[in-house]
């Protein structure tokens, strides 16, 4: 089955850290750029960042709102991407999704999302 | 950053009638080297992740009904639902993936009149 499965969400205090995982199956993970998108309750989606493929030097890019605090990585041997979130703020509270982009197909696979709540 | 502006914010259409949503980007999302527009359309229902309907501005995702179509190039794009069905009630977003940061439009809520 073609799917992405996010995990690792939870409740964390402001200033804390959390690491999300995005496990892929059923498609060529190593040929896919992985993007993270978040959505706060009642709001539209917000792009968080992406990591490209080995062929594109695993290049990363981030939204200004998370740059310097969040880091995206991937392990192609495990078909898994990660989102390390540090110095979390209340405004980072959202459902976090991963999705994929290739040269031919765009964002046609999404996970079910994992909830991150930043609160004291 | 590329700003995506969608219109209208909401839309009420009778069953079987046409629904049209517009999206304008603040700069071109047409990549000249491959002549592709880096523009996608998503449908989102409550409690679900966004679902891609259209990418490369006009390529319909597999399994998406052919009543959904995308058109446009450069900075102006349109999503058309040719004959609205009850299951099409949702919020629709355009998104550019031409250059980071990827950006979404503000969304258009489609309802039944």
């Amino acid at each position: 089955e073609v799917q992405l499965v996010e995990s690792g969400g939870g409740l964390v205090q402001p200033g804390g850290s959390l690491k999300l995982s995005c496990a892929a199956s059923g498609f060529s993970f190593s040929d896919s750029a992985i993007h993270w998108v978040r959505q706060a309750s009642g709001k539209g989606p917000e792009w968080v960042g992406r990591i490209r493929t080995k062929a594109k030097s695993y290049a990363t890019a981030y939204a200004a709102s998370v740059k310097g605090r969040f880091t995206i990585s991937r392990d192609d041997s495990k078909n898994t991407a990660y989102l390390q979130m540090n110095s979390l703020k209340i405004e980072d509270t959202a459902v976090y999704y991963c999705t994929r982009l290739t040269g031919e197909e765009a964002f046609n696979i999404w996970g079910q999302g994992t909830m991150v709540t930043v609160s004291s | 950053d590329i700003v995506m502006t969608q219109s209208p914010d909401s839309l009420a259409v009778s069953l079987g009638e046409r629904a049209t949503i517009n999206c304008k980007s603040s700069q071109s999302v047409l990549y000249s080297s491959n002549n592709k527009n880096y523009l996608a359309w998503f449908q989102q229902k409550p409690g679900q992740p966004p679902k891609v309907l259209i990418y490369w501005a006009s390529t319909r995702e597999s399994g998406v009904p052919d009543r959904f179509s995308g058109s446009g190039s450069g900075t102006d794009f349109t999503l058309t639902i040719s004959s609205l069905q009850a299951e099409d009630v949702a919020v629709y977003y355009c998104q550019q993936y031409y250059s980071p940061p990827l950006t979404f439009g503000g969304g258009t809520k489609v309802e039944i009149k």
Side-chain angles (χ1 to χ4, degrees):
Chain A
E1 182 183 3
V2 173
Q3 62 178 357
L4 290 166
V5 179
E6 303 94 340
S7 61
L11 175 64
V12 61
Q13 292 187 335
S17 297
L18 212 54
K19 187 173 185 177
L20 307 184
S21 298
C22 169
S25 59
F27 65 93
S28 179
F29 178 80
S30 61
D31 291 331
S32 301
I34 298 299
H35 292 245
W36 288 91
V37 174
R38 68 185 180 183
Q39 190 165 25
S41 180
K43 304 292 186 182
E46 177 190 15
W47 180 79
V48 172
R50 62 93 165 124
I51 185 165
R52 286 180 138 174
T53 62
K54 182 178 181 180
K56 297 286 182 72
S57 304
Y58 298 124
T60 56
Y62 300 93
S65 58
V66 307
K67 196 169 185 179
R69 300 188 298 121
F70 290 12
T71 302
I72 299 173
S73 60
R74 64 190 295 162
D75 184 339
D76 289 347
S77 69
K78 295 182 178 179
N79 286 346
T80 301
Y82 304 97
L83 177 64
Q84 175 69 49
M85 305 185 294
N86 298 330
S87 303
L88 281 160
K89 303 177 181 181
I90 291 174
E91 53 264 38
D92 295 320
T93 295
V95 177
Y96 284 73
Y97 300 100
C98 59
T99 182
R100 69 121 185 207
L101 174 66
T102 72
E104 297 302 320
E105 296 174 304
F107 311 116
N108 57 350
I109 305 172
W110 290 68
Q112 82 290 348
T114 187
M115 182 71 205
V116 172
T117 302
V118 184
S119 174
S120 54
Chain B
D1 298 3
I2 299 176
V3 177
M4 306 300 291
T5 303
Q6 268 182 253
S7 62
D9 293 337
S10 63
L11 188 58
V13 176
S14 300
L15 288 172
E17 296 300 306
R18 178 184 300 260
T20 302
I21 301 169
N22 299 300
C23 177
K24 187 174 182 68
S25 57
S26 60
Q27 63 188 74
S28 177
V29 298
L30 174 62
Y31 195 37
S32 57
S33 66
N34 60 9
N35 202 37
K36 285 183 173 181
N37 287 283
Y38 284 58
L39 187 287
W41 287 97
F42 295 90
Q43 176 193 67
Q44 191 173 30
K45 297 180 179 179
Q48 297 182 17
K51 173 188 174 183
V52 73
L53 302 173
I54 304 286
Y55 51 86
W56 307 125
S58 60
T59 299
R60 190 181 306 112
E61 166 63 0
S62 175
V64 172
D66 61 6
R67 63 180 179 273
F68 292 94
S69 64
S71 63
S73 184
T75 61
D76 292 280
F77 302 91
T78 300
L79 174 70
T80 301
I81 310 172
S82 61
S83 176
L84 191 75
Q85 303 301 303
E87 59 265 33
D88 301 335
V89 169
V91 180
Y92 293 82
Y93 297 96
C94 61
Q95 181 219 44
Q96 67 81 18
Y97 49 104
Y98 179 85
S99 67
L102 279 61
T103 45
F104 290 86
T108 296
K109 187 173 185 179
V110 174
E111 300 172 310
I112 305 296
K113 185 188 290 183

